[in-house]
Amino acid sequence: MGQHQHLNKTAESASSEKKKTRRCNGFKMFLAALSFSYIARALGGIIMKMSITQIERRFDISSSLAGLIDGSFEIGNLLVIVFVSYFGSKLHRPKLIGIGCLIMGTGSILTALPHFFMGYYRYSKEANIDPSENSTSNLPNCLSNQMLSLNRTPPEIVERGCVKESGSHMWIYVFLGNVLRGIGESPIVPLGISYIDDFAKEGHSSLYIGTVNAMGMIGLVFGFMLGSLFAKMYVDIGYVDLSTIRITPKDSRWVGAWWLGFLVSGILSIISSIPFFFLLPNPNKPQKERKVSLFLHVLKTNDKRNQIANLTNRGKNITKNVTGFFQSLKSILTNPLYVIFVIFTLLHMSSYIASITYIIKIMEQQYGRSVSETNFLLGILALPAIAIGMFSGGYIIKKFKLSSVGLARLGFCSATVHLLSQVLYFFLICESKSVAGLTLTYDGNSPVRSHVDVPLSYCNSECNCDESQWEPVCGNNGITYISPCLAGCKSSSGNKEPIVFYNCSCVEVTGLQNKNYSVHLGECPRDDACTRKFYVYFAIKVLDSFLCAIGLTSYSVLVIKIVQPELKALAIGFHSMILRSLGGILVPIYFGAVIDTTCMKWSTNSCGARGACRIYNSTFLGRAFFGLKVALVFPVLVLLTVFIFIVKKKFRGKDTKVSENERQVMDEANLEFLNNIEQFASSTEE
């Protein structure tokens, strides 16, 4: 008898160990799959931010329209996030996350598809459509009336091209792909974190969530490196003879292989979805036990009276929940501290979203840095500074157990540093390039008041040039000319590299003594003074990113301390919705519109319609961009001052320590802030 009991206990112990191992293995599999999905999610987000300038050029659209495409991710996310968050926890969470990854990958691939249907990229009107022919033979020179009329394109060909271009709106597919990516991303974070919180060992959830988010940071670094590599590759690599491409990555018309990044992130997202379809909704129960318990539950609740009573109670509960929701919403919206908090965090984060979205354009137009170089520098310097700043902010909050006033003061310091950095940037703005026909007269001797309709000079008035053409050349006098024709050049070196044009009459009249009136292809580089300003700018940018990441971490904790505990989830959710809708969607659009106002030269298609901007007035661009950021951040300091005053008056020393529960919530809030950084991407849409 005793032997049988011993055997039974041994069997029960073995069965218990087996169940524990199964549970542990299932949960570890979920963690591994979720980490992989976080890498794919972060990679897709940063690839879009890094590609937005190249998408703008490839599809020949304005910065404001490119900003709308960038914000479409948030549109897709907002469409489903409420339903996913509410109903997701009641359904098969791993499968829902898998479906989300699948949709996210499909969206990334859809974003890349237009590349395969648009034909070859034409960076100028003279760029050849046939990649087998050498495009350098078509460069414009100063020609006589007779020669120009003999070589003019027949009207019927121009008309056919006009119809083809005007009917091309392939950017819509990029927009829809980004919307799909936003829809697919929506279940990953809320359902993944809730699953970990439900089934992790007591007190281990913060560690697991932190691990998953750290994996997301790997995706960001990987994305920056890939983005830098693909930006060096020509957009039609593999389809054209690269020796016929006469532009370089530093040219304002250069488009890298932007589509490769979306293909890579899309494939990774689809692969990351596969494991979720083989995981159980509850790792604690094997499938058979779950079915048996479900069957017993159905038997127990088979009584009709109980069913009717349950339906009646459910209807009452739904009504009660809806009423309670609106009462709770009214409660937080009538809380002055919460309303002020939402406003100043929206303004503060809007400035960062603008930086993330347009930093590549700013560094390119202000300092002459290529997209590839900018991506590389952001990946190895700015991104680590932000990550270190976030974790340092969390450590400071925990170490000193900051109260609500302390958290608000930390946010005030963050906003102050950010405002000072924007003011310093005004002193680091480079002067606009000397461009004949835009900032100078065509002979290069006198500045002009406006870049609009600058009259031709006697040095090129008889050349019959196409003034809408943008084929920049740099003269030996350091002046950039819009095209060799408008520089008055009569001959060229042909297909010999580097391409040089000679006998340029507009260069001649500037009074060069060496009689070498030649220009070479490409814009003139920035001077040494501007290069030095760039190094100072980037150093301040990295320091600003680090210090502000410390302060912004406090916002994630502060929101839970200014509302009632039972309203915490609603307050965080509503705050996130405002940031996404008024920040993530609108900021790229209105900043893009402001940037468009500083454009000096637009590309035009064969119908004369405006396309992408070729060159900006860098002085006006810097003043407009940094000025708008100052206009956003300065009210933050005013509102934070009012906020601190109200908090002091309300709590009066009662809120001095962080409780253990708040400390746990603080960990999760810090990790959620890391999520937001990955989504906005750098730090990720600059």
Side-chain angles (χ1 to χ4, degrees), residues 39-40 42-51 54 217-234 254 256-269 360 371-380 383:
I39 292 175
L43 177 63
I46 199 63
I47 287 292
M48 172 55 76
K49 291 293 183 184
M50 292 187 300
S51 303
Q54 298 178 77
M217 294 298 290
I218 293 174
L220 289 180
V221 174
F222 185 49
F224 273 113
M225 298 301 105
L226 277 183
S228 178
L229 175 64
F230 294 152
K232 291 180 182 177
M233 301 178 183
Y234 186 64
W254 176 269
W258 62 274
W259 51 276
L260 271 175
F262 289 103
L263 283 183
V264 171
S265 65
I267 292 170
L268 280 179
S269 295
I360 293 176
V371 175
S372 175
E373 181 183 0
T374 302
N375 287 337
F376 180 77
L377 290 174
L378 291 174
I380 65 171
L383 184 63

Side-chain angles (χ1 to χ4, degrees), residues 438-676:
L438 294 177
T439 62
L440 300 172
T441 55
Y442 280 104
D443 58 18
N445 289 328
S446 307
V448 295
R449 291 185 177 181
S450 172
H451 64 272
V452 180
D453 297 329
V454 176
L456 294 174
S457 176
Y458 56 86
C459 64
N460 60 10
S461 58
E462 297 181 357
C463 292
N464 293 310
C465 303
D466 181 2
E467 295 181 53
S468 66
Q469 178 65 31
W470 178 254
E471 193 70 55
V473 290
C474 179
N476 291 336
N477 54 2
I479 297 175
T480 298
Y481 296 84
I482 293 175
S483 70
C485 181
L486 287 170
C489 301
K490 307 298 189 301
S491 61
S492 72
S493 61
N495 297 329
K496 183 181 178 181
E497 297 286 347
I499 301 172
V500 181
F501 298 85
Y502 303 103
N503 301 321
C504 304
S505 54
C506 291
V507 180
E508 179 180 351
V509 297
T510 57
L512 285 173
Q513 300 300 318
N514 59 10
K515 304 298 182 183
N516 184 16
Y517 309 134
S518 64
V519 297
H520 62 269
L521 203 61
E523 296 179 41
C524 294
R526 289 289 189 178
D527 57 22
D528 293 338
C530 187
T531 302
R532 288 192 293 270
K533 285 183 178 180
F534 166 72
Y535 294 132
V536 177
Y537 165 82
F538 201 79
I540 295 174
K541 186 72 181 175
V542 173
L543 183 62
D544 174 37
S545 300
F546 170 73
L547 295 176
C548 290
I550 292 177
L552 286 177
T553 309
S554 65
Y555 291 161
S556 299
V557 186
L558 191 58
V559 65
I560 66 175
K561 297 176 71 63
I562 58 175
V563 296
Q564 300 171 14
E566 63 271 15
L567 300 177
K568 178 188 68 178
L570 178 62
I572 294 174
F574 184 81
H575 180 241
S576 177
M577 184 189 73
I578 293 296
L579 287 183
R580 286 175 177 271
S581 57
L582 300 183
I585 297 174
L586 293 184
V587 168
I589 297 175
Y590 66 74
F591 264 87
V594 169
I595 289 172
D596 286 339
T597 63
T598 66
C599 182
M600 294 193 297
K601 184 72 175 178
W602 295 92
S603 67
T604 55
N605 60 21
S606 57
C607 304
R610 194 178 82 174
C613 185
R614 295 308 189 197
I615 187 171
Y616 295 86
N617 185 316
S618 59
T619 303
F620 291 162
L621 173 62
R623 290 173 181 172
F625 186 78
F626 298 128
L628 185 53
K629 284 165 69 69
V630 168
L632 287 173
V633 180
F634 182 75
V636 174
L637 298 180
V638 177
L639 290 171
L640 269 167
T641 303
V642 175
F643 183 88
I644 292 171
F645 176 78
I646 296 175
V647 170
K648 278 185 175 180
K649 188 175 181 181
K650 182 176 180 179
F651 291 103
R652 293 188 180 181
K654 296 177 183 177
D655 181 35
T656 56
K657 298 292 181 182
V658 179
S659 67
E660 289 300 320
N661 290 335
E662 286 174 336
R663 201 170 301 170
Q664 183 179 358
V665 173
M666 184 176 66
D667 290 337
E668 297 173 1
N670 289 339
L671 296 168
E672 178 61 23
F673 177 72
L674 182 57
N675 275 328
N676 292 334

Side-chain angles (χ1 to χ4, degrees), residues 78 170 178 206 337 415 427 499 528 613:
L78 286 172
M170 299 295 283
N178 209 28
S206 294
L337 284 176
F427 299 98
I499 301 172
D528 293 338
C613 185

Side-chain angles (χ1 to χ4, degrees), residues 19 71 80 82 95 98 137 151 245 252 350 376 393 426 490 540 549 573 586 603 668:
K19 288 180 181 179
V80 297
V82 174
K95 282 187 178 179
S137 61
N151 290 287
I245 305 303
S252 63
S350 293
F376 180 77
F426 276 96
K490 307 298 189 301
I540 295 174
L586 293 184
S603 67
E668 297 173 1

Side-chain angles (χ1 to χ4, degrees), residues 208-221:
Y208 292 140
I209 294 171
T211 303
V212 169
N213 279 290
M215 298 301 290
M217 294 298 290
I218 293 174
L220 289 180
V221 174

